[in-house]
């Protein structure tokens, strides 16, 4: 069953015969305050984020009441139109979670507008709003308008992938029909399922059609924290992964991980940390989440303390550039606590020191890379997983379509076969189906093949080429033209946009007929030659 949160906007004019209207205003004063709902219907799934479009006329404030039909849930909000555009879009996160401030689940789109929770009561401790009908009432002191919000249970079960250019927005089109593949739940474990190929530098966009995860995705992903435990269960023996990127290059001589910041609760066994606990240590130079330059051989000494600190010193300077990330993964037993704990990581150099403070998250909220049992990660063909699974992955949620969108920067990866996997575990919101979906993809080198190298007696030179780049991508076509007798020499550049068939075309105006020149053509992307040089004429 397709699940939707339907905002059935049967907008009623309260007090005037029940006539449907977008606004309600006092009859005697048409210039008085009026309020209403902007959309006739909104559709999301239970556990997702509902956006309620409110219209305000001749007022910048109103009250929004949310009431379940059985009166088991009640919330009252005060909204403010801070930019005087007559609209406030209130976002209601129907995933309540286990931690955090309830007020954080009610927000307004736009920095100027505001939505403040005044009161909330519920007869249940469920992590998501119950399915069913919710009455909405927006009002001022003079008028009020009613609408209906309906939540239905989510469903899921398929995924698809497409290739888009580096600058594509969330609605970017796939490269071609051949560059899009779909996988349903039955084929999720089939290694031969359809895959797409992307030229390095393009983006692979995977859409997992899984409703009910929008609320989870609203929270910061645990895998992006300063320290990320693979299993966040209190007391679990697991792997902790540290990631920090210095603002300036430094020559590191030691690294300290401090779990005892501000009286936090450190792992009980942190003082027993030894070299054998280290699983990976080094520098990630490409941003793919893997260690590219291991420094384990340079570890000289390990010092620990009962207050939660571990310090590793090196027998030589370890270069960490400003755009590179230091990564450390090691075995550790989680403390018996739930929630966020402060942690600090310090890289000490010969002249510079880099210090970063952040958090490590234990319990259900930290389970999975996205939290609450939702785990998203790329894997290699051999099953290897990056130390930082989301290092080269951007995530968003398509509230209209009901799906999680993962966009991979293939420029960070070596060429080869990969897969993007989404697993929904037992810690996920109860209505979301438990499942594992896997979408394979390949990363290949970018290529450009020039298709017509003929020249004529006209100064206009047209260069055409076929590429394996995603539509909308940019490529620089460079022409170097020189007369054989050492006369005129020209260097011309053209920024071409890849069309839907993967082709590019550029026209150049030379000073003399093209046939008078020795011509060399190349194609570049991000300062790298990906086609040519080839000779024309």
């Amino acid at each position: 069953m397709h699940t939707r949160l339907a905002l059935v906007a049967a907008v009623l004019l309260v007090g005037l015969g029940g006539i449907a209207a977008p606004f309600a205003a006092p009859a005697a004063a048409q210039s008085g305050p009026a309020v209403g709902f902007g959309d006739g219907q909104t559709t999301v799934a239970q556990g997702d984020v509902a956006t309620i479009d409110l219209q305000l006329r001749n007022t910048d404030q109103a009250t929004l009441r949310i009431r379940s039909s059985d009166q088991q849930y009640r919330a009252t909000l005060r909204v403010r139109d801070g930019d005087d555009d007559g609209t406030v879009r209130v976002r209601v996160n129907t995933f309540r979670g286990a931690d955090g401030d309830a007020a954080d689940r009610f927000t307004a789109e736009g920095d100027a507008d505001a939505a403040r929770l005044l009161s909330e009561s519920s007869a249940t401790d469920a992590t998501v709003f119950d399915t069913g009908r919710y009455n909405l009432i927006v009002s001022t002191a003079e008028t009020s308008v009613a609408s209906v919000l309906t939540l239905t249970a989510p469903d899921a079960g398929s995924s698809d992938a497409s290739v888009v250019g580096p600058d594509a927005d969330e609605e970017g089109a796939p490269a071609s029909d051949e560059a899009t593949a779909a996988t349903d739940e039955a084929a999720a474990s089939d290694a031969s399922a359809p895959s797409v190929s992307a030229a390095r530098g393009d983006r692979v966009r995977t859409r997992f059609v899984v409703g009910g995860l929008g609320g989870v995705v609203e929270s910061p992903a645990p895998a992006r924290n300063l320290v990320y435990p693979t299993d966040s269960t209190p007391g679990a023996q697991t792997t902790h992964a540290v990631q920090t990127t210095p603002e300036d290059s430094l020559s590191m001589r030691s690294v300290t991980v401090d779990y005892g910041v501000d009286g936090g609760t450190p792992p009980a066994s942190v003082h027993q940390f030894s070299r054998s606990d280290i699983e990976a240590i080094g520098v990630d130079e490409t941003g793919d989440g893997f260690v590219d330059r291991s420094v384990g051989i340079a570890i000289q000494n390990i010092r620990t303390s009962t207050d939660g600190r571990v310090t590793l010193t090196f027998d030589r300077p370890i270069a960490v550039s400003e755009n590179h990330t230091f990564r450390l993964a090691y075995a550790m037993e989680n403390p018996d606590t739930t929630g966020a704990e402060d942690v600090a990581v310090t890289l000490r150099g010969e002249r510079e020191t880099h210090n970063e403070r952040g958090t490590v998250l234990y319990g259900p909220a930290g389970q999975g890379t996205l939290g609450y049992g939702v785990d998203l990660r790329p894997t290699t063909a051999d099953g290897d997983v990056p130390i930082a699974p989301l290092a080269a992955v951007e995530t968003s949620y398509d509230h209209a379509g009901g799906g999680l969108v993962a966009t991979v920067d293939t420029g960070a990866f070596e060429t080869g076969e990969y897969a993007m996997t989404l697993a929904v575990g037992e810690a996920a919101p109860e209505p979301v189906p438990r499942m594992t979906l896997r979408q394979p993809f390949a990363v290949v080198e970018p290529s450009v093949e020039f298709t017509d190298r003929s020249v004529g007696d006209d100064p206009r030179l047209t260069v055409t080429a076929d590429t394996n780049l995603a539509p909308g991508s940019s490529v620089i076509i460079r022409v170097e033209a020189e007369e054989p007798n050492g006369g005129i020499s020209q260097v011309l550049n053209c920024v071409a946009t890849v069309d839907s068939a993967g082709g590019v075309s550029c026209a150049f105006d030379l000073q003399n007929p093209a046939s008078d020149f020795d011509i060399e053509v190349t194609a570049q992307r991000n300062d790298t030659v990906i086609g040519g040089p080839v000779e024309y004429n």
Side-chain angles (χ1 to χ4, degrees):
M1 177 181 64
H2 289 288
T3 61
R4 296 292 185 263
L5 170 79
L7 175 56
V8 183
V11 183
L12 305 177
L13 179 61
V14 177
L16 290 178
I19 301 174
F23 285 94
Q30 295 299 318
S31 62
V35 293
F37 293 90
D39 296 325
Q41 184 173 350
T42 299
T43 301
V44 295
Q46 180 193 22
D48 283 349
V49 178
T51 300
I52 302 171
D53 193 337
L54 302 179
Q55 303 293 305
L56 282 66
R57 182 184 299 162
N58 299 325
T59 182
D60 62 356
Q61 297 190 59
T63 298
L64 174 64
R65 294 177 176 85
I66 305 173
R67 304 286 189 268
S68 63
S69 59
D70 59 7
Q71 298 299 309
Q72 296 298 300
Y73 178 84
R74 303 167 65 88
T76 301
L77 290 78
R78 189 67 173 169
V79 302
R80 181 175 61 85
D81 178 13
D83 54 10
D84 295 324
D85 65 350
T87 299
V88 178
R89 294 173 61 83
V90 179
R91 306 179 77 250
V92 179
N93 191 340
T94 66
F95 172 64
R96 303 173 68 183
D99 305 302
D101 187 352
D104 293 339
R105 292 185 281 104
F106 302 91
T107 59
E109 285 189 0
D111 295 335
D113 297 338
R116 180 167 59 92
L117 179 66
L118 301 180
S119 64
E120 183 184 37
S121 63
S122 176
T124 176
D125 294 328
T127 58
V128 296
F129 285 22
D130 291 336
T131 57
R133 172 188 171 116
Y134 291 77
N135 298 314
L136 304 176
I137 301 174
V138 59
S139 62
T140 65
E142 297 86 0
T143 183
S144 64
V145 173
S147 184
V148 174
L149 182 71
T150 303
L151 275 69
T152 56
D155 63 357
S158 65
S159 64
D160 63 79
S162 60
V163 182
V164 298
D167 300 323
D169 58 23
E170 291 187 7
E171 300 302 320
S176 66
D177 291 340
E178 290 75 22
T180 305
T183 301
D184 59 22
E185 191 171 3
S189 61
D190 182 2
S192 63
S195 63
V196 297
S197 294
R200 288 192 70 215
D202 283 337
R203 306 292 187 262
V204 173
R205 179 164 295 164
T206 304
R207 185 181 301 272
F208 296 97
V209 185
V210 181
L213 296 180
V216 173
V217 178
E218 288 286 299
S219 301
R224 302 193 192 278
N225 287 339
L226 184 59
V227 177
Y228 168 61
T230 303
D231 181 354
S232 67
T233 305
Q237 186 68 39
T238 185
T239 297
H240 284 203
V242 172
Q243 56 183 350
T244 185
T245 304
E247 296 179 356
D248 300 301
S249 299
L250 57 82
S251 296
M252 178 178 62
R253 295 307 300 259
S254 71
V255 55
T256 298
V257 181
D258 187 357
Y259 287 95
V261 177
D262 295 336
T265 305
S269 60
V270 66
H271 65 283
Q272 299 173 342
F273 184 89
S274 67
R275 185 186 296 262
S276 62
D277 292 320
I278 298 175
E279 300 174 7
I281 180 171
V283 180
D284 178 2
E285 299 176 338
T286 62
D288 61 356
F290 290 97
V291 167
D292 299 309
R293 177 161 47 90
S294 177
V295 300
I297 195 173
I299 297 175
Q300 183 179 48
N301 185 40
I302 296 177
R303 300 193 308 272
T304 64
S305 66
T306 56
D307 62 0
R309 281 177 295 172
V310 175
T311 298
L312 284 68
T313 58
F314 304 98
D315 61 10
R316 69 201 72 172
I318 306 299
V320 184
S321 299
E322 56 183 307
N323 294 322
H324 295 167
T325 300
F326 174 77
R327 302 199 184 280
L328 170 62
Y330 48 88
M332 183 60 66
E333 180 181 342
N334 293 337
D336 190 16
T337 187
T338 297
E341 293 286 339
D342 292 331
V343 65
V345 175
T346 302
L347 308 183
R348 290 184 176 85
E350 295 179 316
R351 296 182 180 85
E352 317 85 1
T353 297
H354 167 72
N355 183 267
E356 182 175 356
R357 294 187 58 160
T359 59
V360 55
L361 189 57
Y362 303 109
Q367 197 66 30
T369 57
L370 299 181
Y372 291 101
V374 182
D375 192 81
L376 175 74
R377 61 183 61 211
T379 58
T380 67
D382 296 329
D384 295 332
V385 179
I387 295 173
L390 301 182
V393 181
E394 295 182 359
T395 58
S396 60
Y397 193 80
D398 180 2
H399 292 281
L404 175 67
V405 180
T407 303
V408 176
D409 177 7
T410 64
F413 287 90
E414 299 294 331
T415 58
E417 297 283 341
Y418 300 88
M420 183 63 69
T421 301
L422 175 68
V424 180
E426 292 305 315
E430 184 176 347
V432 180
R434 275 48 178 161
M435 66 181 63
T436 298
L437 295 172
R438 181 178 182 272
Q439 190 69 48
F441 65 93
V443 179
V444 299
E445 290 293 350
S447 66
V448 174
E449 181 179 353
F450 297 101
T451 53
D452 184 359
R453 293 159 61 180
S454 62
V455 297
D457 295 331
D458 191 288
R460 171 64 62 94
L461 173 68
T462 300
V463 176
T464 58
D466 292 331
T467 80
N468 64 349
L469 308 179
S473 301
S474 297
V475 60
I476 297 176
I477 305 297
R478 181 183 179 89
V479 167
E480 297 183 25
E482 185 172 349
E483 289 185 326
N485 59 9
I488 297 174
S489 178
Q490 289 184 264
V491 177
L492 303 172
N493 293 303
C494 167
V495 179
T497 300
V498 180
D499 62 27
S500 60
V504 292
S505 177
C506 274
F508 300 88
D509 290 319
L510 304 178
Q511 292 186 17
N512 290 329
S515 58
D516 291 350
F517 293 91
D518 291 331
I519 299 173
E520 189 174 84
V521 181
T522 58
Q524 298 180 11
R525 188 186 202 190
N526 298 328
D527 299 324
T528 300
V529 175
I530 60 175
V534 297
E535 294 181 355
Y536 279 54
N537 198 24

